[in-house]
Amino acid sequence: MRWLKFTETGKTSWGIVEGDKVVAVEGDPFGEWQRSSRTHSLSDVKIELPLIPRTFYCVGLNYLKHLKEAADKAGTVPAVPDRPEIGYRAQNALIAHDEEVVIPSFATEKIHYEGELVVVIGKKVKHLTKDNAMDCVFGYTIGNDVSERSWQKADRSLWRSKNADTFKPMGPWIETEADLEQMETIVRVNGKETNRFATGDMIFGVVPFLVELTKYFTLWPGDVIWMGTDGASPDIKHGDVVEIDITGVGTLRNRFVREGQ
């Protein structure tokens, strides 16, 4: 099932995507809901963020190729993590499918994307085990972890390099039936493929992160975990359109524009 948050004629609703149509729903997927009689063409509605997470978790270096490329750029030996580690991102950076990523006018040319699988939590949990961890997963969506690399290199934290306004596109919907083992992530810039990798080929998969997280934190319905990326990005410039396709989930598309141009 594909859950979509959409706006049509000024009203924002949850809906279920069926082919090229969306069926409006009364209620929400994390509580009680029922289908309504209202249907719309998917092309006629404004796709909104699937949700605003209570807590926005993210995984850093979780794919070997990405880890090696990061080490090569730094002139260091790749250090494969021996345990799952987690970070955070800012809600203010979130934008929806087809909304524009705004590059600050004073940013450098080192603007990069990262196509990521996003895990959406469906219920309140703590102290998960490897046997029950997946029970809390409601579904999956797609994220684009945009970074300004010169800021990332200059700062001791990621406060501006990854959390500037519009730097975290997410969407277009939540898919509840996707198969991690069959997923492939494909990234295109202006229609040309620039990156492709097996989505599930992670150093640490979804289960280890859920187990580690819930040793310390309660997860709540609507929390999200961005699972990292593989490969590298070209420098993205004004006018470029980045599409991230994940098998069985969908395609997230956003245009990049430089402020003032």
Side-chain angles (χ1 to χ4, degrees):
M1 185 177 291
R2 286 182 171 172
W3 283 95
L4 176 74
K5 180 74 74 70
F6 71 96
T7 298
E8 199 275 336
T9 60
K11 181 177 181 180
T12 300
S13 310
W14 281 99
I16 298 169
V17 177
E18 296 179 345
D20 61 355
K21 302 288 185 183
V22 56
V23 180
V25 165
E26 303 295 340
D28 70 81
F30 303 105
E32 295 184 359
W33 60 273
Q34 60 182 6
R35 295 167 66 105
S36 76
S37 59
R38 293 182 292 118
T39 63
H40 309 280
S41 172
L42 194 55
S43 62
D44 291 339
V45 304
K46 165 68 171 68
I47 296 177
E48 306 289 355
L49 275 167
L51 46 78
I52 302 292
R54 174 172 174 152
T55 307
F56 185 171
Y57 298 101
C58 64
V59 175
L61 298 172
N62 198 28
Y63 289 81
L64 287 173
K65 186 178 177 183
H66 188 61
L67 185 70
K68 183 178 184 302
E69 287 171 343
D72 287 347
K73 288 179 180 178
T76 60
V77 176
V80 179
D82 58 3
R83 61 186 175 88
E85 293 194 30
I86 204 80
Y88 302 92
R89 297 289 181 263
Q91 292 177 345
N92 67 277
L94 289 166
I95 59 169
H97 173 77
D98 266 343
E99 293 183 345
E100 292 182 337
V101 177
V102 180
I103 304 168
S105 60
F106 46 86
T108 71
E109 300 301 316
K110 293 297 179 182
I111 305 296
H112 292 170
Y113 65 73
E114 291 181 355
E116 304 200 12
L117 178 71
V118 177
V119 178
V120 180
I121 303 302
K123 62 182 181 180
K124 180 182 176 182
V125 290
K126 195 173 184 184
H127 299 306
L128 292 170
T129 69
K130 65 179 183 179
D131 295 323
N132 67 10
M134 292 301 290
D135 293 348
C136 76
V137 175
F138 177 72
Y140 304 93
T141 188
I142 304 168
N144 185 350
D145 186 2
V146 177
S147 304
E148 209 284 15
R149 297 300 190 191
S150 67
W151 297 347
Q152 183 174 348
K153 185 177 180 180
D155 298 342
R156 287 180 294 178
S157 73
L158 305 175
W159 70 277
R160 57 176 176 159
S161 63
K162 286 182 174 286
N163 293 314
D165 288 347
T166 75
F167 271 25
K168 293 293 168 285
M170 184 171 72
W173 44 61
I174 304 168
E175 171 59 62
T176 64
E177 302 298 329
D179 182 354
L180 271 170
E181 298 304 315
Q182 301 300 317
M183 289 180 185
E184 190 172 37
T185 301
I186 303 162
V187 185
R188 298 179 180 89
V189 179
N190 303 325
K192 181 180 179 180
E193 184 176 316
T194 58
N195 196 11
R196 179 187 292 254
F197 59 92
T199 314
D201 191 21
M202 306 172 188
I203 298 171
F204 296 103
V206 175
V207 169
F209 274 100
L210 290 172
V211 172
E212 186 70 12
L213 264 173
T214 59
K215 289 179 183 178
Y216 310 96
F217 308 123
T218 300
L219 293 178
W220 296 82
D223 282 352
V224 297
I225 309 170
W226 290 36
M227 292 302 301
T229 194
D230 208 355
S233 166
D235 293 344
I236 299 300
K237 62 184 183 302
H238 174 78
D240 284 346
V241 176
V242 176
E243 295 176 296
I244 300 167
D245 180 79
I246 297 184
T247 310
V249 180
T251 302
L252 172 66
R253 180 179 61 244
N254 299 91
R255 181 172 179 260
F256 284 63
V257 298
R258 185 169 285 270
E259 201 172 30
Q261 291 190 18

